[in-house]
Amino acid sequence: MHLKLRVWRQAGPTATGAFESYDMPEVSAEMSFLELIDELNEKLIEANKEPVAFDHDCREGICGSCSMMINGQAHGPSRGTATCQLFLRKFVDGSEITVEPWRAGAFPVIRDLSTDRTALDHIIESGGFISAPTGSAPDANLILVPKEVADAAMDAAACIGCGACVAACPNSAAQLFTAAKVAHLNLLPQGQPERWNRVQNMVDTMESYFGSCTNHGECEKACPKEISIDFIALLNKDYLKAQWKNRKLESQRG
Amino acid sequence: MSPRSNISARFDTAPDPLDGRVPPGPIDSKWTDHKFDMRLVNPANKRKFEIIVVGSGLAGASAAASLGELGYKVTLLTFHDSPRRAHSIAAQGGINAAKNYKNDGDSVHRLFYDTVKGGDYRSREANVHRLAEVSVDIIDQCAAQGVPFAREYGGLLDNRSFGGAQVSRTFYARGQTGQQLLLGAYSALMRQVHLGSVKLYRRTEMLELVLHDGRATGVVARDLVTGEIRSFSGHAVVLATGGYGNVFYLSTNAKASNASATWRAHRKGALFANPCFTQIHPTCIPASDEFQSKLTLMSESLRNDGRVWVPKELDDTRTADLVPESERDYFLERRYPAFGNLVPRDVASRAIKREVDAGRGVGPIKNGVYLDFAESIERLGPKAVEERYSNLFEMYERITDENPQNTPMRIYPAVHYTMGGLWVDYDLMSNLPGLFVLGEANFSDHGANRLGASALMQGLADGYFVLPYTIGNYLAPLLGAAPVSTDDTVFAEAESTVRDEIKRYLSTNGTHSVDWFHRELGKIVWDNCGMARSTETLEKALTEIPPLREQFHNDVKVLGDNESMNQSLEKAGRVSDFLEFGELMCLDALHREESCGGHFRVEHQTEDGEALRDDENFAYAGAWEFNGVGAPPTLHKEPLEFENVHLAQRSYK
Ligand SMILES: Cc1cc2nc3c(=O)[nH]c(=O)nc-3n(C[C@H](O)[C@H](O)[C@H](O)COP(=O)(O)OP(=O)(O)OC[C@H]3O[C@@H](n4cnc5c(N)ncnc54)[C@H](O)[C@@H]3O)c2cc1C
Ligand code: FES
């Protein structure tokens, strides 16, 4: 098939960027989107032009490296799909495709399509863990976790940290990313002791880097793992509760 | 003349055997006794020690987090933009542990036994036993961190069985076990980063190991964003930099996985053991075309419920649904009735290759065999099968446009894992004092073949439960010594080596891209040192690699500069190292005149085509010493003794 590409080129973090157009007259529909960029890069190198920088690694939708806005959509047109899992058969022969990096204040462009997503790490650093120093754990089967709970925690934990939710959000909010980690840990019995501190610290850190959520719901649609927006409700509930919970009396249920 | 003699000019053999420094005593108390015998560093002194960890996969992240918790000052380098992106994230199937939660006869001894046997008797017994011992602690540790392992309705942990085992000892988190275990280790790591005990350098690639008086004292690395070349100094260096499967270009490894950290340590004197022990995974999606950039694994767990078959007829062009039951050959079940579809990977891969080579392959370019779920769907219902494998089925459908619920999957073996790696002693220290090597980067526990779900186990065993003890034993006598200053000439020299190399790539101005060379190398090693190897093919590879390497250095085209992100430049160094490493891998394969595990020499097979070991001559780990690019290396042999598992021809019949 024949495709035309408009790709964002930017030499460095402070350089001004611009779109450049490239013609790809003969590509196979069986190619993945990243293989298309590989092919483009080979052509560019042949023509003594610098190849397009982009992040990628696993190419199976799990590492969260790949990150392209394709025709204005984070990871392109297919739902529940990371850029690396997108195949050209999803595009119309002869069409023009616009490829940009994630656009968000918290994700500065490093070069071309590659951005710096360290801010997501900072959110995890501030509370996205259960403190269990190596060697301190009891036998795993001493902690019973109802299957439904384990499944729900797993649904949330499936987040690959790509940042598509931020890129898709008109406010560049990181609510879905944060909610996924908070839900994963706050749902589990192991996560209860740090539950309120966790949500508070993570939300506060999130707000220092990212915009605020106004419930557009674009994040859920863009998420390659289809993480449910319901987790944001859970996050908000826990965050509110964390404000008035008397943590000393936490063990007094009911 | 024996076939061995004509390669004798290619290498020297060291006269003295290599000592793995295995502690004395009975196998099941070695580790406990050794833990007691080792020197300790008291809590207040730990912060006086600086440790450099390279790599943030399961092995590196778990090590850095645990060392930070203990109070050491840790510096962690990764070339990824976040530790969470390490290749470990992609592991699907699960992690083994001898918990015996299923009451089906598992035990530490059985896991030990299975691993030694599965490795085709080419691993060090004592290490494997320790691995089996600590496996149970890993599950406890991960569950406490909140890893959402699969559960049964009563809330207990669920298990499944995996290739090469007759018990259910594999713990899993849907088809994303590696992801969840890595995120667990990553969260523990980030907690330490927050507490300040671990200093994290992202997008920073180690390019040289630095030695001072023969000890590992630091590394030189490049900042992949700014191009800055920087030295890092410490009391010890830990490499947890993964395997070398990408020497084949096409593999199931993540694109950036490479051998540079270990190879550059090798060039500085670290021995590289058993490079020819590479694992081909039987269940990958067959390649479709030239532009293919990577192969995708379909987890081995699928073999629990999928049946492997080909049409009995040669060149059968019917679609799967039109081939009646009586005309199908379930060749794994037929050949190996006891293990059936669950035979170890090497056995399954070769059996599949045999069918495809014989002309019974299926699919558009006849390069696969079927993995069929029809019977399981009938037995368990589509919903149960969906629940177990949904994400794998989805992944498959996305790539091939076919749904395995209706049409059998097509699979073919692909390079997946590398058992070889830097040689380490029982304490996971290389022959260079102060250089520790963990995870897939070392050669330690899997012999000539790794069992499914055992790499995750080994990475986490090394990082959580072995290194934190053994590194103290090395550091204790160094108390009071400051790390070598980065102003020392050893660092300046290493930095200038790196700068010169970069300048060379940028000024070569050749005609072919780095990827072009990588693909060419990949073809040579896959065709000649892949699933089946012979004197002839290996000799061929050994004559083809050096000229390709030379061509690379004269004709590679790397555009751009050093001072900004330059992905071609990053790849150039990695491919340059693969061009040297590939030669050693083929030489190792040529010298090992036997078949064992993943190393199959066509000259050495039983009548029915199974691997034929030669225990008399090759029951050793072959650890190579570097003597210069293209110069004959020196082989050091570590004899392997089997006192607890009796040497026997592996049989899965
Ligand atoms: C598709 C797939 C599925 C798998 N499934 C399973 C499974 O189900 N069960 C199982 O047990 N095993 C499985 N494996 C194998 C297992 O995932 C790996 O062997 C294991 O994760 C390796 O972990 P590691 O920590 O040693 O290295 P890696 O995870 O490869 O990490 C290497 C790290 O080193 C860093 N690094 C490397 N070189 C440098 C350098 N020069 N400078 C700085 N940083 C560097 C990288 O950035 C990375 O952080 C699977 C493998 C694949 C490919
Ligand atoms: S490259 Fe890993 S998710 Fe796309």
Side-chain angles (χ1 to χ4, degrees), chain B residues 54 116 205 240 264 300 302 312 330 340 344 402 406 442 461 519 531 585 603 612 617 645 650:
Chain B
V54 187
V116 172
E205 179 163 27
R264 290 178 188 212
E300 180 152 47
L302 292 167
K312 283 184 182 161
Y330 294 89
E402 290 168 6
N406 315 323
N442 73 26
R519 266 179 211 272
M531 251 188 291
M585 177 173 80
E603 301 94 332
L612 191 60
N617 293 302
V645 181
R650 272 190 325 167

Side-chain angles (χ1 to χ4, degrees), chain B residues 290-349:
Chain B
E290 264 287 298
F291 53 73
Q292 186 108 13
S293 60
K294 174 171 188 263
L295 295 171
T296 302
L297 172 82
M298 289 284 102
S299 168
E300 180 152 47
S301 59
L302 292 167
R303 284 200 276 145
N304 277 319
D305 290 304
R307 299 178 69 199
V308 175
W309 65 274
V310 287
K312 283 184 182 161
E313 277 301 303
L314 285 182
D315 295 317
D316 193 329
T317 50
R318 291 175 291 181
T319 53
D321 54 322
L322 296 177
V323 182
E325 211 41 50
S326 61
E327 291 171 38
R328 299 175 174 194
D329 180 11
Y330 294 89
F331 56 92
L332 290 179
E333 295 168 27
R334 171 172 58 79
R335 297 170 70 112
Y336 310 101
F339 280 70
N341 294 297
L342 291 178
V343 289
R345 293 174 175 179
D346 54 333
V347 178
S349 296

Side-chain angles (χ1 to χ4, degrees), chain A residues 35 42 45 48 54-55 57-60 63 81 89 111 121 131-132 134 139-141 145 155 184 190, chain B residues 66 69 80 82 101 140-141 143 146 155 157 174 186 202-203 255-256 293-294 398-399 513 557 564 567:
Chain A
E35 283 165 352
E42 285 297 306
I45 293 172
N48 288 320
F54 65 105
D55 285 312
D57 200 20
C58 73
R59 300 205 171 191
E60 27 190 89
C63 73
T81 300
R89 60 176 98 90
R111 186 187 183 107
D121 270 355
S131 301
T134 305
D139 185 274
N141 260 347
V145 184
D155 288 342
H184 159 209
Q190 303 93 301
Chain B
S66 305
E69 286 161 3
H80 284 105
S82 163
Y101 282 160
D140 299 343
Q141 182 60 34
L157 288 158
R174 293 213 183 122
Y186 157 79
R202 302 170 174 85
R203 294 202 199 257
K255 287 294 283 178
S293 60
K294 174 171 188 263
R398 224 190 278 274
I399 295 174
S513 70
K557 173 143 83 173
S564 59
Q567 294 173 326

Side-chain angles (χ1 to χ4, degrees), chain B residues 103-299:
Chain B
N103 196 30
D104 59 356
D106 200 12
S107 62
V108 166
H109 195 80
R110 188 175 298 281
L111 176 54
F112 159 66
Y113 175 90
D114 286 351
T115 307
V116 172
K117 176 184 170 199
D120 218 358
Y121 307 92
R122 289 293 173 266
S123 49
R124 193 190 282 147
E125 274 195 344
N127 283 55
V128 179
H129 199 279
R130 175 178 62 196
L131 176 65
E133 286 173 53
V134 304
S135 69
V136 295
D137 302 328
I138 294 171
I139 301 305
D140 299 343
Q141 182 60 34
C142 297
Q145 286 168 349
V147 169
F149 283 123
R151 302 268 165 178
E152 293 173 346
Y153 280 98
L156 297 166
L157 288 158
D158 191 18
N159 290 118
R160 60 183 172 203
S161 59
F162 231 66
Q166 285 171 310
V167 293
S168 288
R169 62 159 75 98
T170 304
F171 294 79
Y172 64 102
R174 293 213 183 122
Q176 289 126 278
T177 315
Q179 180 199 26
Q180 293 309 315
L181 295 174
L182 182 62
L183 293 182
Y186 157 79
S187 65
L189 169 69
M190 294 316 280
R191 180 168 161 258
Q192 293 308 307
V193 170
H194 196 60
L195 293 171
S197 61
V198 178
K199 228 172 136 40
L200 172 61
Y201 291 84
R202 302 170 174 85
R203 294 202 199 257
T204 302
E205 179 163 27
M206 167 199 162
L207 292 175
E208 278 295 334
L209 173 71
V210 179
L211 303 178
H212 187 268
D213 286 338
R215 288 172 184 266
T217 51
V219 299
V220 169
R222 176 171 178 268
D223 182 319
L224 302 182
V225 176
T226 64
E228 187 195 356
I229 310 294
R230 240 196 99 158
S231 289
F232 295 85
S233 169
H235 293 89
V237 175
V238 179
L239 298 186
T241 50
Y244 51 83
N246 276 346
V247 65
F248 291 92
Y249 186 72
L250 282 183
S251 86
T252 63
N253 285 13
K255 287 294 283 178
S257 296
N258 69 80
S260 288
T262 48
W263 187 253
R264 290 178 188 212
H266 174 64
R267 291 177 57 128
K268 284 288 172 77
L271 302 178
F272 209 112
N274 302 336
C276 80
F277 289 168
T278 54
Q279 181 167 78
I280 314 279
H281 195 292
T283 54
C284 303
I285 304 178
S288 64
D289 217 328
E290 264 287 298
F291 53 73
Q292 186 108 13
S293 60
K294 174 171 188 263
L295 295 171
T296 302
L297 172 82
M298 289 284 102
S299 168

Side-chain angles (χ1 to χ4, degrees), chain B residues 544-555:
Chain B
E544 288 176 1
I545 295 172
L548 183 66
R549 184 168 62 226
E550 199 171 314
Q551 190 190 353
F552 173 86
H553 288 292
N554 297 323
D555 193 29

